Amino acid sequence: MTKRRGRGDGGLHWDEKRQRWIATANLGFDPSGKRIVKRGSGKTKTEAKNKLKEVLRDHEDGLAIAPTNYTVKDAVADWLAYGLAGLDPNTVETTTLLSQKHVIPSLGARKLRDLSAEDVDRWLATKAKTLSTRTLQSIHSYLNRAVKRAMARDKVKRNVVELCSVPQGQAGRPSKALTFAQAESVLKGAEGTSMYAYIVLALLTGARTEELRALTWDHVFLKGRPDFDPPQPPHIAVWRSVRRSGDTKTRKSRRTLALPARCVDALWQQFEDQVGSARR
């Protein structure tokens, strides 16, 4: 006689509607009294049993089981919707555009739990033929952060994206820096205008324009600090920017920049013009 399965051992049956074998296992009851049933499906009995074993291993490890149809697109969409809170709108827009153009079309249909390091390597290698290294780093970071978020929410057991390195991409656009003659022409053309001091500082100090637009007189030291040891020459303290947070691009971007004589002269003229305008 065929031995009868023990109570709670589950079963194996053919689902006519789905055209698949379904293996089930009963794991008792949850605190609310609802029966805990885990299932695995496959086109063959063996495939269904193996799927069930995988589900049971995850359950024993204390991991919630993600829906088998949860895709990379779902993970990226969830991260774009909820993982970018507090960032500058321009950053959110750029991140969304790159994700929708380079991540989702290539990997979006892949089931997240089936995504492999080889999939990510092939994707990056293909993108490296047309994208710069900086853009490759960005889209790799976006996918990595999306999968991390999904992992934290028990949608997948591990993050294979972290295991993949970013290849060398295409060369970036050629530098468009001004020549010395061009810079002199710009300075000469700006003389006598309200933008002169701003342009002189931008060209001669190397400060970012977003930092110069936020510069105030309490961070400008045109006489320097001769009483310091050692004495400090004329300088500006670059501590702020016009970014949404008001801070510089990074903490290391906070710096003090010495001022060439041409910058000092331009700023003195700017200061006198503003004082004169205020008195009028």
Side-chain angles (χ1 to χ4, degrees):
M1 292 179 63
T2 303
K3 185 177 178 181
R4 185 185 181 92
R5 288 190 300 271
R7 187 180 296 275
D9 286 348
L12 180 67
H13 68 276
W14 174 254
D15 188 317
E16 189 66 30
K17 184 177 181 180
R18 297 177 60 189
Q19 291 291 298
R20 298 177 73 85
W21 286 96
I22 309 296
T24 62
N26 299 319
L27 304 180
F29 299 87
D30 64 16
S32 67
K34 184 179 179 181
R35 185 182 295 277
I36 302 173
V37 180
K38 298 299 179 183
R39 297 178 176 82
S41 66
K43 295 181 179 179
T44 65
K45 293 180 180 180
T46 301
E47 184 181 351
K49 290 177 180 178
N50 289 337
K51 286 284 187 180
L52 179 60
K53 288 179 182 178
E54 181 181 342
V55 170
L56 293 176
R57 280 198 303 269
D58 290 344
H59 178 77
E60 291 171 359
D61 290 341
L63 297 171
I65 308 304
T68 56
N69 60 348
Y70 194 82
T71 63
V72 173
K73 179 180 179 180
D74 294 329
V76 174
D78 179 76
W79 174 67
L80 290 174
Y82 305 108
L84 304 180
L87 297 183
D88 186 87
N90 290 333
T91 300
V92 173
E93 182 181 3
T94 300
T95 300
T96 301
L97 288 174
L98 288 177
S99 297
Q100 292 177 342
K101 183 175 181 179
H102 297 295
V103 182
I104 293 176
S106 301
L107 298 173
R110 187 74 166 163
K111 293 180 180 179
L112 186 59
R113 64 189 302 165
D114 294 335
L115 183 69
S116 67
E118 288 78 9
D119 292 331
V120 179
D121 283 336
R122 285 194 292 269
W123 168 63
L124 289 171
T126 300
K127 290 297 180 181
K129 297 176 182 178
T130 56
L131 300 180
S132 67
T133 302
R134 180 68 186 89
T135 303
L136 285 174
Q137 292 170 343
S138 294
I139 62 176
H140 174 268
S141 174
Y142 302 157
L143 180 60
N144 184 34
R145 289 150 69 184
V147 177
K148 273 187 177 180
R149 179 179 173 84
M151 187 177 174
R153 285 150 183 80
D154 296 326
K155 302 297 186 182
V156 69
K157 289 193 293 185
R158 64 179 185 143
N159 182 7
V160 298
V161 184
E162 281 191 318
L163 307 177
C164 303
S165 57
V166 179
Q168 186 74 27
Q170 301 302 302
R173 64 186 181 186
S175 174
K176 294 183 179 180
L178 297 176
T179 65
F180 180 78
Q182 289 171 335
E184 282 290 355
S185 296
V186 171
L187 290 172
K188 186 174 181 179
E191 288 180 357
T193 70
S194 59
M195 293 291 291
Y196 181 65
Y198 171 78
I199 293 173
V200 170
L201 283 175
L203 287 176
L204 301 187
T205 66
R208 299 182 180 95
T209 56
E210 66 193 43
E211 297 165 342
L212 292 177
R213 295 200 303 275
L215 189 65
T216 55
W217 286 113
D218 56 337
H219 286 169
V220 176
F221 303 89
L222 295 179
K223 296 181 180 179
R225 287 178 170 173
D227 53 329
F228 274 43
D229 187 18
Q232 293 183 356
H235 61 276
I236 55 174
V238 182
W239 291 353
R240 301 171 62 250
S241 77
V242 293
R243 289 172 172 267
R244 187 180 185 185
S245 64
D247 206 346
T248 52
K249 187 173 183 180
T250 66
R251 295 290 297 180
K252 290 184 178 180
S253 294
R254 288 190 174 189
R255 61 209 186 277
T256 299
L257 300 176
L259 292 174
R262 194 167 187 172
C263 289
V264 174
D265 293 341
L267 285 170
W268 272 123
Q269 185 62 52
Q270 178 78 7
F271 180 77
E272 291 171 359
D273 290 345
Q274 287 186 1
V275 170
S277 298
R279 286 175 179 173
R280 289 196 295 271

